[in-house]
Amino acid sequence: MAGAVHINVGSLVWLEDPEVAWIDGEVIEVDGNNAKISCSSGKTVVANVANLYPQDTEASPCGVDDMTKLAYLHEPGVLQNLRSRYDMNEIYTYTGNILIAVNPFRRLPHLYDSHMMEQYKGATFGELSPHPFAVADAAYRLMTHEGKSQSILVSGESGAGKTESTKMLMRYLAYMGGTSAAEGRTVEQQVLEDVERYKVANPRTFHYLNQSNCIELDSMNDAEEYLATRRAMEVVGISPIEQDAIFRVVASVLHLGNIEFTKGKESDSSMPKDEKSLFHLRTAAELLMCDVKALEDSLCKRVIVTRDETITKSLDPNAATLTRDALAKVVYSRLFDWIVNKINCSIGQDPNSKCLIGVLDIYGFESFKTNSFEQFCINLTNEKLQQHFNQHVFKMEQEEYTKEEINWSYIEFIDNQDVLDLIEKVTYQTELFLDKNKDYVVAEHQALLCASKCSFVSGLFPPSPEESSKSSKFSSIGSRFKQQLQSLLETLSSTEPHYIRCIKPNNLLKPSIFENTNVLQQLRCGGVLEAIRISCAGYPTRRTFDEFVDRFGLLSPDVLDGSCDEVTASKRLLEKVGLQGYQIGKTKVFLRAGQMAELDARRTEVLGRAAAVIQRKVRSYMARRSFIALRRSTIKMQALWRGRTARKLYESMRREAAAIKIQKHVRRHIAVNAYKKMLSAAMALQAGLRGMASRNELRFRRQTKAAIIIQAQCRKYLASLHYKRLKKAAISTQCAYRVRMAKKELRKLKLAARETGALQAAKNKLEKQVEELTWRLQLEKRMRADVEEAKAQETAKLQAALQDLQLQVKESKALLLKEREAAKKLSEQAPVIKEVPVVDSAVVEKLTSENEKLKKLSTMESEDQILRQQSLLNSPVKRMSEHLAIPAAPKILENGHHETESVNAKNELQSTPPTNKMLTESESKLRRSQLDKQHENVDALIKCVQQNIGFSHGKPVAAFSIYKCLLYWKSFEAERTSVFDRLIQMFGEAIENEESNESLAYWLSNTSTLLFLLQKSLKPAGSAGATPQRKKPPPAVSLFGRMTQGFRSSPSSANLSVSLDVVRQVEAKYPALLFKQQLTAYVEKIYGIIRDNLKKDLTSLLSLCIQAPRTSRGSMMRASGRSFGHNTPSSHWQSIIDSLNGLLKLFQDNFVPPVLIQKTFTQIFSFINVQLFNSLLLRRECCSFGNGEYVKAGLAELELWCCQAKEEYAGASWDELKHIRQAVGFLVLSVQQLYRICTLYWDDKYGTSSVSPSVISSMRVLMTEDSTNPASNAFLLDDNSSIPFSVDDISNSLNEKDFSDVKPAEELLENPAFHFLQD
């Protein structure tokens, strides 16, 4: 088979190994006819060159589906190909039109479903993957189109999967014929009942079943198989009564096998051994419905009929055992014949049909330690079939050569007719050989079973005439077997044969185990290697012209120049290399054995020389590049050192000049200080002397004045003392009665005063509740987009809470009225002392009126908020600003502030004492003018920032101006203000219906920058991190009050500018915090729109980028010679790069924060990865080498773009393409994804692959272990459209110091009201 091969040092070869049949290795030394080989197992072996077989270095690790495509058609190549395909669950392989099936010992339901049958229906043989359906379809098409009978021969040893293959063939033929199996129901209880009915239990307890260890299979469910058998019987027309009888007979055979015998009471007699044997005897008789005693006698005795009398002879235990086995054998044989006849009748073959398809399921060649009569018959059949198989293979070879028009007359064919003659002529004398050749029924057994009460059993043993009984008693199984075999061969000769060879990969009957020696023995016995020998006798290596030129064109590149076709190029190439004995067909080049290895050896030499040239060039290039880099570094180091020396000299000169200047100023400072000290001492001395004289004069004047005052006061005191004594005596009498009455009235008035205080506390509490309710309503409205389903419930809760508050107010009002009435009654009964007014009733009335106004105001605000919320719920979503949760603001006046502010101002005005009322009215007028002015300022700010006012030092001017204004106006500390609502409305109008990324990028830059400034400035009120501040007056509630405090604290009323830091922390109130959340939502919204716009643009381009143009390899070589370069990416990839560059430039022009740019391109690259990778997994035409090179070239462009964009903007975008980047290298994919690509991959250029068989085998084992996890079976990727950043990410990406040089908008600086922006 090997032929002459050319072996050199470094050649990869196969050599025989006693343990694994064949082992691969590398030749490390050649000495004449001997070669030293380093094996892959680690050992070194010396072998004869003639016993070595070349290894195909470019063979796919996944194997080929047709072994005629192998470069080297020999035993180790065939064995390795089968093993490679078996490791990746490809159990079917062609050898021409012969199908080899390796038993996987596991269920593979996806290979045999109706969808798979539909795929093979009408498909050309060899177009799809090897499969029994393809063989059955080919046979069916030949029968229907050519009208010739077909036969399918399925062979293999026990456990090789012949029966399963036959089932698949019959199933497909039934499918093609329009017959489908009826579905039944699975009832586990039925299995248990039948087991109990037939008194069968563990199969290991039965003698006929426990002779081997193969009792259970991991992938087989006996209960399901039993029910499937029941359903199959129903399909072929076996009634339930007949089914029950069949299983009764089978169970009786099992029980017969467990009957053991021992010596009886008489000599040479026998009887059941023990109670267990008696139990099985009675059970067998019960199942066969015959007499127990008659069954025992038929086993232990034999009746001999002579001419004169009938003699009953007892049998010894050994003879009784043989009689038992003979009875079990004949019962089972008759049952088998009955089932076969029943099925044939059920199938109902048309007797008038001119053609048929026959499926033959037969044992393969068997060779055991003990070979008996059965092996003799089986091996005879196999040799006969092998002869037929060899003739068919040789015939196919002749047809191939004839079709290609090449000379084949000298090819010799090795026949096995001598072996057949030897088997048929020689007489075998072995133990029990003749007994097994006999075919008769013991008369006692015939009489016993014929008299059975079971009609089914008695029907199996009908009474026979005397003459037919005698003739059958001495019939030979061998002669009848030979007649049937001859009839079979005649039938096969009249049909077109198809072959399926089943292989058992291991004797353990377990999956994922491939035993080389065992498989090789079956290949030899099954005739597969014989077919290969027939092929090797002619031209085993065949290559199409384009494949031959593609592989060996580099041996003579000048042959490929010009415009010659591939046939001419192949001829010239063969002439150049000087091969002899090859043949040129019509479509292929035919090579003799060993010539492929010689061409590969020459090709390896050419590639080695080319590799040396490439290495020399690369090393030269690397050395030159290293020299240039070293020279450049040296020049740079010299420049740096000279610069450093110059800087040190300059620094020394500067220090000397600075020292002189410092000395001058220090001396001047010392002289000035000495003069000032002398001047200060002189002036202090003069002031002291003058002060002493003045104090003496002042002391004298004070003493004189004090004496005069003492005299006057003494005289006044004496007169006043006399008057007071007289007045006290008069008043004491008048007040005695008044005191007693006043005390009584005082107690009543004190009680009323306490009630008024309680009313004031209730009022304050109600105010807080109203404010809290308002806040909750605003918060609820803001969150309505997220909790749309709970909106009605929350509204009902708020209404109920409002009703409760109103009810409490009414109850308080009623209680107050009752208390007033009670106080009025008491006041009418008691006398009123007008001279001592203790309680001011005006104050009480004022508090009462304020309380009533507050109740009305809270009711109006609650109703207004509920109406606004309902209107928002009922209105359609039209504007962008309505997508975000904007809380319902209180009623806004023309000056931009709330109605509550004016109410508070009025209340303050009413509560002002009369002495300060005039001052309060003037302040109120000042407040109104300031509110109007503030309203104008807000309008001016909104009008300015609505336009694109550009950037300053890389920062958006609009965002900086807004922040500075809000900070100066102290809007963040206001509890109620409309500025934030107007800004949010402005943002919504700016991006409403906006599809241009240019405008969206501008507003993304402004909103994100403003969000950063808010994040750095705002902190919740009362937070733990607040810095202690000096005690200040109570803060004003309204925005106007805070602005007034800012004006009053300024040094001059003419200059209102305040020194502000760029970013300053303030205690934010709820409106400011709500504005920050709304602004965050706008940033995320604008970001998502820009990202989705780019995804939309890339989707159409990506669908075009996944498929590369497929060009003929030969035409490419003729057009441009031998080129190993990659294909240039098409305009689709360039369009993607242009889109990315356009968006990056847009972001850079608008100074979008780098973190947002990174997140955008990271998600875009993730989207590209998902689209390309999912297309790769879903479309087989995409899993080609050419398409892989095309996508790889495009990914190289994307990598170049990431490098040019730098990490500041690209970030980790390149890492997001890890799945599609590594799809060829298989580095980061899941087991399911790897296995999927392995099964789809095909090389449309060089016929190579990058996955080793060991990796595929390990991957298949992992996938099998993980098959129970539903989540792991998914192999597609999902696109992530979430927002990938947070406010903290934006905050960390910017720096506060970057805003120190930002200039506000020029339009605002021209307005005198915004002069504070200049600070």
Side-chain angles (χ1 to χ4, degrees):
M1 188 192 305
V5 295
H6 187 63
I7 302 297
N8 293 325
V9 175
S11 300
L12 300 180
V13 295
W14 295 98
L15 68 154
E16 284 191 280
D17 185 82
E19 298 179 358
V20 294
W22 293 96
I23 189 171
D24 59 323
E26 181 181 357
V27 177
I28 58 178
E29 183 181 344
V30 178
D31 184 12
N33 294 330
N34 295 327
K36 182 182 292 186
I37 300 101
S38 176
C39 302
S40 58
S41 60
K43 60 183 179 180
T44 303
V45 180
V46 177
N48 194 316
V49 174
N51 298 329
L52 301 179
Y53 293 89
Q55 183 179 352
D56 188 5
T57 57
E58 298 184 2
S60 170
C62 302
V64 295
D65 55 0
D66 190 348
M67 287 192 288
T68 59
K69 299 178 182 179
L70 292 174
Y72 304 106
L73 193 61
H74 44 54
E75 272 192 13
V78 171
L79 190 64
Q80 177 63 22
N81 188 70
L82 291 177
R83 185 186 187 97
S84 300
R85 293 180 60 80
Y86 182 76
D87 287 340
M88 57 179 297
N89 269 351
E90 295 290 344
I91 61 175
Y92 297 114
T93 308
Y94 287 136
T95 301
N97 62 351
I98 304 169
L99 179 66
I100 299 176
V102 184
N103 194 343
F105 293 114
R106 68 173 66 184
R107 293 292 184 186
L108 300 174
H110 64 281
L111 291 180
Y112 311 108
D113 54 11
S114 58
H115 172 72
M116 190 65 69
M117 287 191 288
E118 185 65 28
Q119 294 293 321
Y120 281 89
K121 183 178 180 181
T124 305
F125 187 83
E127 177 182 355
L128 300 177
S129 300
H131 201 283
F133 292 165
V135 177
D137 185 79
Y140 182 82
R141 298 297 169 187
L142 288 174
M143 181 189 71
T144 55
H145 294 166
E146 300 182 4
K148 185 177 181 180
S149 297
Q150 307 291 315
S151 60
I152 303 176
L153 287 77
V154 184
S155 64
E157 66 179 51
S158 178
K162 301 184 303 300
T163 304
E164 290 297 323
S165 298
T166 304
K167 288 180 182 178
M168 295 302 107
L169 294 171
M170 300 299 293
R171 182 183 176 189
Y172 184 83
L173 293 175
Y175 170 77
M176 294 297 293
T179 306
S180 59
E183 292 293 334
R185 55 177 181 171
T186 302
V187 185
E188 192 71 20
Q189 187 63 31
Q190 180 181 352
V191 179
L192 300 178
E193 292 176 357
D194 291 347
V195 168
E196 183 178 357
R197 183 192 311 168
Y198 306 129
K199 298 181 181 180
V200 291
N202 191 345
R204 299 182 185 277
T205 60
F206 292 96
H207 175 70
Y208 287 158
L209 298 180
N210 61 14
Q211 298 303 301
S212 66
N213 294 325
C214 183
I215 302 297
E216 297 177 356
L217 290 178
D218 296 336
S219 58
M220 298 287 290
N221 188 319
D222 292 338
E224 293 180 357
E225 293 295 326
Y226 172 76
L227 295 178
T229 304
R230 284 276 198 178
R231 289 194 297 269
M233 289 181 174
E234 294 177 1
V235 171
V236 299
I238 299 178
S239 64
I241 297 177
E242 291 175 334
Q243 293 180 32
D244 182 71
I246 290 172
F247 288 110
R248 290 173 65 90
V249 172
V250 174
S252 67
V253 172
L254 294 178
H255 286 288
L256 284 175
N258 281 13
I259 301 176
E260 298 180 354
F261 299 95
T262 185
K263 291 184 178 180
K265 298 179 180 179
E266 301 177 359
S267 60
D268 295 334
S269 64
S270 60
M271 58 181 295
K273 183 178 181 180
D274 48 20
E275 286 296 327
K276 181 179 178 181
S277 298
L278 289 175
F279 167 76
H280 288 292
L281 178 67
R282 288 191 295 268
T283 303
E286 179 182 350
L287 293 173
L288 293 174
M289 293 186 181
C290 60
D291 184 66
V292 179
K293 183 61 177 176
L295 177 59
E296 181 181 355
D297 292 342
S298 67
L299 297 177
C300 299
K301 298 178 182 180
R302 181 62 46 84
V303 177
I304 301 176
V305 180
T306 62
R307 181 178 299 179
D308 299 331
E309 59 180 345
T310 301
I311 303 173
T312 302
K313 177 185 176 183
S314 299
L315 301 177
D316 59 15
N318 292 334
T321 300
L322 293 176
T323 304
R324 177 204 66 186
D325 293 340
L327 175 60
K329 176 181 176 182
V330 71
V331 170
Y332 194 81
S333 176
R334 294 290 179 93
L335 176 62
F336 183 82
D337 293 340
W338 185 91
I339 293 176
V340 171
N341 292 331
K342 185 71 175 180
I343 294 175
N344 290 336
C345 294
S346 175
I347 293 176
Q349 182 180 353
D350 186 4
N352 298 323
S353 62
K354 298 180 181 180
C355 52
L356 56 86
I357 297 180
V359 181
L360 176 61
D361 178 4
I362 189 170
Y363 273 91
F365 191 92
E366 291 187 347
S367 177
F368 302 134
K369 294 181 179 179
T370 302
N371 297 304
S372 185
F373 181 73
E374 294 86 348
Q375 281 72 41
F376 174 79
C377 296
I378 290 173
N379 293 339
L380 174 64
T381 304
N382 275 277
E383 287 297 331
K384 285 283 188 181
L385 295 177
Q386 183 63 37
Q387 182 188 36
H388 183 269
F389 173 75
N390 292 346
Q391 293 173 352
H392 174 70
V393 172
F394 187 70
K395 180 181 178 182
M396 288 191 302
E397 288 290 311
Q398 291 176 344
E399 291 176 353
E400 175 74 10
Y401 297 153
T402 302
K403 183 177 67 174
E404 292 290 334
E405 298 180 359
I406 65 173
N407 182 20
W408 54 272
S409 57
Y410 61 89
I411 299 177
E412 297 181 357
F413 169 62
I414 304 174
D415 198 1
N416 64 339
Q417 184 62 44
D418 296 337
V419 179
L420 293 174
D421 296 339
L422 180 64
I423 293 178
E424 292 180 358
K425 294 179 181 179
V426 174
T427 303
Y428 292 91
Q429 303 253 343
T430 60
E431 183 180 1
L432 301 178
F433 213 80
L434 297 178
D435 291 339
K436 292 182 178 180
N437 189 31
K438 297 177 182 178
D439 183 21
Y440 63 91
V441 180
V442 178
E444 291 80 0
H445 298 167
Q446 173 71 27
L448 173 69
L449 298 177
C450 182
S452 172
K453 297 179 181 179
C454 177
S455 60
F456 182 83
V457 176
S458 60
L460 295 178
F461 296 88
S464 303
E466 185 68 21
E467 57 276 6
S468 62
S469 177
K470 291 182 180 180
S471 62
S472 62
K473 187 173 182 180
F474 298 102
S475 62
S476 169
I477 293 179
S479 60
R480 191 170 62 178
F481 181 82
K482 184 177 180 181
Q483 294 174 359
Q484 293 177 355
L485 177 60
Q486 186 63 31
S487 175
L488 173 64
L489 292 175
E490 292 175 357
T491 304
L492 291 177
S493 299
S494 63
T495 62
E496 180 72 21
H498 305 267
Y499 295 95
I500 298 178
R501 294 294 191 244
C502 298
I503 303 296
K504 181 171 67 174
N506 60 81
N507 292 323
L508 301 177
L509 308 182
K510 291 185 178 181
S512 305
I513 300 177
F514 192 91
E515 297 176 353
N516 289 356
T517 306
N518 186 27
V519 173
L520 189 61
Q521 178 68 19
Q522 295 178 65
L523 291 175
R524 291 169 177 169
C525 296
V528 176
L529 297 183
E530 186 66 27
I532 294 175
R533 289 190 183 94
I534 294 175
S535 298
C536 290
Y539 301 96
T541 304
R542 305 158 191 181
R543 286 290 181 271
T544 59
F545 294 121
D546 56 341
E547 292 177 352
F548 185 79
V549 172
D550 182 37
R551 181 162 182 167
F552 299 110
L554 55 86
L555 296 180
S556 181
D558 55 338
V559 174
L560 302 179
D561 297 336
S563 59
C564 61
D565 57 1
E566 295 170 342
V567 180
T568 306
S570 300
K571 291 180 179 179
R572 291 181 179 178
L573 188 60
L574 288 169
E575 292 174 358
K576 281 280 186 180
V577 298
L579 284 186
Q580 301 294 331
Y582 61 86
Q583 291 275 5
I584 301 294
K586 296 179 65 177
T587 61
K588 300 176 183 178
V589 175
F590 291 80
L591 301 177
R592 300 286 291 178
Q595 291 182 339
M596 188 69 173
E598 183 178 353
L599 290 175
D600 275 341
R602 297 186 183 182
R603 180 172 178 269
T604 303
E605 293 177 0
V606 174
L607 291 177
R609 290 194 298 269
V613 173
I614 293 173
Q615 290 174 357
R616 184 176 72 250
K617 295 294 185 182
V618 169
R619 289 169 182 167
S620 174
Y621 167 75
M622 293 179 66
R624 177 171 177 78
R625 186 176 63 178
S626 176
F627 169 75
I628 293 174
L630 182 61
R631 182 173 177 270
R632 187 184 297 113
S633 300
T634 303
I635 295 174
K636 191 172 183 180
M637 286 291 293
Q638 291 174 353
L640 291 175
W641 180 255
R642 292 168 182 166
R644 181 175 179 273
T645 304
R647 283 191 296 271
K648 287 180 67 177
L649 178 60
Y650 173 71
E651 183 67 21
S652 176
M653 296 173 64
R654 284 187 61 193
R655 290 174 64 86
E656 183 178 355
I660 295 174
K661 194 171 183 179
I662 291 172
Q663 291 174 1
K664 179 184 68 176
H665 285 285
V666 167
R667 291 168 183 166
R668 174 183 173 276
H669 176 71
I670 293 174
V672 170
N673 287 344
Y675 169 76
K676 287 182 178 180
K677 288 181 179 179
M678 185 179 296
L679 178 63
S680 176
M683 293 176 64
L685 183 60
Q686 293 175 0
L689 293 176
R690 293 169 183 170
M692 185 175 63
S694 298
R695 283 191 293 274
N696 291 336
E697 181 67 22
L698 178 62
R699 189 182 304 111
F700 173 76
R701 291 181 180 182
R702 284 181 177 177
Q703 290 176 357
T704 303
K705 187 178 179 179
I708 296 172
I709 291 173
I710 291 173
Q711 291 175 0
Q713 290 295 330
C714 182
R715 293 168 185 167
K716 176 184 176 181
Y717 170 74
L718 293 175
S720 176
L721 181 61
H722 178 70
Y723 171 76
K724 288 181 179 179
R725 286 178 180 175
L726 292 176
K727 184 179 179 180
K728 183 177 180 181
I731 293 175
S732 297
T733 305
Q734 295 177 358
C735 292
Y737 179 76
R738 294 176 182 175
V739 169
R740 188 176 65 177
M741 298 303 295
K743 287 182 179 180
K744 185 182 297 184
E745 184 66 20
L746 181 60
R747 285 194 295 270
K748 297 178 181 179
L749 293 177
K750 284 184 177 179
L751 179 61
R754 283 197 297 268
E755 293 174 351
T756 305
L759 182 61
Q760 181 68 26
K763 171 198 168 188
N764 295 336
K765 181 178 180 181
L766 184 59
E767 288 178 351
K768 293 182 180 179
Q769 291 178 347
V770 171
E771 291 180 358
E772 181 181 0
L773 180 60
T774 303
W775 179 83
R776 287 183 180 176
L777 286 175
Q778 292 176 351
L779 182 62
E780 190 67 27
K781 184 177 179 182
R782 173 179 166 272
M783 298 174 62
R784 68 180 181 275
D786 298 331
V787 289
E788 189 69 25
E789 298 179 357
K791 187 181 296 179
Q793 299 178 0
E794 292 297 329
T795 303
K797 291 180 181 179
L798 292 176
Q799 290 177 351
L802 183 59
Q803 291 176 0
D804 293 339
L805 290 176
Q806 291 175 350
L807 183 60
Q808 293 177 6
V809 171
K810 291 180 180 179
E811 292 177 356
S812 301
K813 184 177 179 181
L815 182 60
L816 180 61
L817 292 176
K818 290 180 181 180
E819 292 176 352
R820 285 183 177 178
E821 292 176 358
K824 186 175 181 181
K825 291 179 180 180
L826 292 175
S827 62
E828 291 176 352
Q829 295 176 0
V832 180
I833 302 177
K834 298 181 180 179
E835 290 78 5
V836 187
V838 178
V839 179
D840 191 356
S841 59
V843 176
V844 176
E845 293 177 358
K846 178 183 177 182
L847 292 176
T848 304
S849 63
E850 288 181 356
N851 191 18
E852 294 296 332
K853 290 181 181 179
L854 184 60
K855 293 176 183 177
K856 294 179 180 180
L857 179 61
S858 64
T859 304
M860 291 173 63
E861 289 182 351
S862 301
E863 293 176 353
D864 183 53
Q865 290 173 353
I866 293 174
L867 291 175
R868 288 190 182 185
Q869 186 175 8
Q870 292 177 353
S871 64
L872 285 173
L873 291 175
N874 297 329
S875 64
V877 179
K878 294 182 179 179
R879 300 177 57 185
M880 179 64 69
S881 58
E882 295 175 1
H883 287 287
L884 302 173
I886 301 177
K891 185 175 180 181
I892 301 174
L893 301 179
E894 293 181 357
N895 57 5
H897 296 277
H898 302 283
E899 184 183 21
T900 54
E901 295 180 4
S902 59
V903 173
N904 293 335
K906 291 179 181 179
N907 292 340
E908 292 176 1
L909 200 59
Q910 291 177 1
S911 61
T912 305
T915 58
N916 299 330
K917 193 168 185 180
M918 185 177 299
L919 179 61
T920 304
E921 290 178 356
S922 63
E923 289 183 354
S924 178
K925 293 180 181 179
L926 178 61
R927 288 183 181 181
R928 293 193 188 96
S929 64
Q930 293 295 338
L931 287 174
D932 295 338
K933 185 176 181 180
Q934 179 64 16
H935 178 67
E936 295 175 358
N937 294 342
V938 173
D939 290 342
L941 175 64
I942 296 295
K943 182 179 179 181
C944 177
V945 299
Q946 278 180 339
Q947 306 171 2
N948 189 339
I949 57 179
F951 303 87
S952 174
H953 296 281
K955 298 296 182 290
V957 176
F960 182 73
S961 301
I962 292 173
Y963 172 75
K964 293 280 286 186
C965 291
L966 295 178
L967 191 64
Y968 179 78
W969 293 339
K970 298 186 178 180
S971 301
F972 300 131
E973 304 170 67
E975 294 182 353
R976 297 182 180 87
T977 177
S978 62
V979 178
F980 297 136
D981 294 337
R982 297 192 61 186
L983 289 175
I984 289 297
Q985 184 178 2
M986 179 199 68
F987 291 145
E989 293 174 353
I991 66 173
E992 184 178 8
N993 300 326
E994 185 63 55
E995 296 182 357
S996 173
N997 284 344
E998 183 176 359
S999 177
L1000 292 173
Y1002 171 76
W1003 285 109
L1004 178 61
S1005 176
N1006 278 276
T1007 53
S1008 58
T1009 303
L1010 182 57
L1011 181 61
F1012 160 74
L1013 296 173
L1014 296 182
Q1015 177 72 6
K1016 291 295 185 180
S1017 297
L1018 303 187
K1019 58 181 180 180
S1023 61
T1027 57
Q1029 307 239 344
R1030 290 180 298 177
K1031 185 173 182 181
K1032 295 182 179 180
V1037 176
S1038 64
L1039 176 62
F1040 168 76
R1042 297 190 178 275
M1043 291 178 62
T1044 304
Q1045 289 182 0
F1047 296 153
R1048 290 178 179 176
S1049 61
S1050 61
S1052 173
S1053 59
N1055 185 10
L1056 299 180
S1057 63
V1058 180
S1059 177
L1060 296 176
D1061 297 331
V1062 177
V1063 177
R1064 177 164 54 87
Q1065 285 197 346
V1066 295
E1067 291 189 359
K1069 299 299 182 182
Y1070 173 74
L1073 298 176
L1074 180 60
F1075 173 68
K1076 177 185 171 184
Q1077 294 180 357
Q1078 293 171 337
L1079 188 62
T1080 303
Y1082 266 108
V1083 173
E1084 296 176 353
K1085 184 70 176 180
I1086 299 172
Y1087 169 86
I1089 294 175
I1090 296 175
R1091 178 198 61 199
D1092 295 340
N1093 286 344
L1094 185 57
K1095 283 185 178 181
K1096 187 189 304 181
D1097 297 338
L1098 296 183
T1099 300
S1100 59
L1101 297 175
L1102 290 175
S1103 62
L1104 300 174
C1105 289
I1106 190 61
Q1107 261 192 313
R1110 297 176 59 185
T1111 351
S1112 173
R1113 182 68 177 175
S1115 61
M1116 290 175 58
M1117 291 166 53
R1118 290 194 302 271
S1120 57
R1122 188 67 179 182
S1123 174
F1124 294 94
H1126 294 292
N1127 295 330
T1128 305
S1130 68
S1131 59
H1132 306 308
W1133 287 106
Q1134 188 58 42
S1135 300
I1136 294 177
I1137 299 298
D1138 293 342
S1139 299
L1140 297 177
N1141 285 331
L1143 184 61
L1144 178 59
K1145 187 177 185 304
L1146 198 60
F1147 281 158
Q1148 291 174 340
D1149 293 343
N1150 290 275
F1151 298 99
V1152 176
V1155 65
L1156 297 183
I1157 302 178
Q1158 290 182 6
K1159 298 299 183 181
T1160 301
F1161 288 115
T1162 298
Q1163 284 199 318
I1164 291 300
F1165 273 64
S1166 176
F1167 173 76
I1168 295 175
N1169 178 65
V1170 170
Q1171 295 295 319
L1172 295 179
F1173 188 76
N1174 288 350
S1175 299
L1176 192 69
L1177 295 187
L1178 292 176
R1179 299 162 60 184
R1180 188 180 188 277
E1181 66 272 12
C1182 298
C1183 291
S1184 66
F1185 185 86
N1187 191 56
E1189 282 190 332
Y1190 180 73
V1191 176
K1192 184 179 179 181
L1195 294 179
E1197 294 293 326
L1198 293 180
E1199 182 180 12
L1200 179 61
W1201 182 89
C1202 290
C1203 295
Q1204 293 174 350
K1206 299 180 181 179
E1207 188 177 359
E1208 179 183 4
Y1209 300 117
S1213 301
W1214 179 245
D1215 295 337
E1216 293 298 325
L1217 297 176
K1218 57 184 178 181
H1219 288 86
I1220 188 63
R1221 283 195 295 120
Q1222 306 298 343
V1224 179
F1226 307 124
L1227 297 181
V1228 299
L1229 307 182
S1230 66
V1231 177
Q1232 285 74 21
Q1233 294 166 342
L1234 289 175
Y1235 186 78
R1236 178 72 176 177
I1237 292 183
C1238 284
T1239 55
L1240 296 180
Y1241 177 79
W1242 59 289
D1243 189 346
D1244 58 342
K1245 283 194 173 184
Y1246 306 114
T1248 62
S1249 181
S1250 58
V1251 185
S1252 64
S1254 60
V1255 173
I1256 297 178
S1257 178
S1258 302
M1259 177 186 60
R1260 178 173 54 84
V1261 174
L1262 291 175
M1263 189 182 66
T1264 304
E1265 296 175 353
D1266 202 29
S1267 60
T1268 58
N1269 185 7
S1272 65
N1273 292 330
F1275 51 81
L1276 298 181
L1277 301 178
D1278 294 328
D1279 185 25
N1280 183 13
S1281 298
S1282 61
I1283 300 299
F1285 60 87
S1286 62
V1287 180
D1288 293 334
D1289 294 335
I1290 301 177
S1291 178
N1292 295 332
S1293 66
L1294 299 176
N1295 194 346
E1296 301 173 13
K1297 297 180 180 179
D1298 297 340
F1299 293 87
S1300 58
D1301 298 331
V1302 178
K1303 296 181 180 180
E1306 295 293 338
E1307 182 180 347
L1308 294 179
L1309 294 178
E1310 295 174 358
N1311 192 335
F1314 291 90
H1315 283 175
F1316 61 88
L1317 294 176
Q1318 297 179 355
D1319 296 336

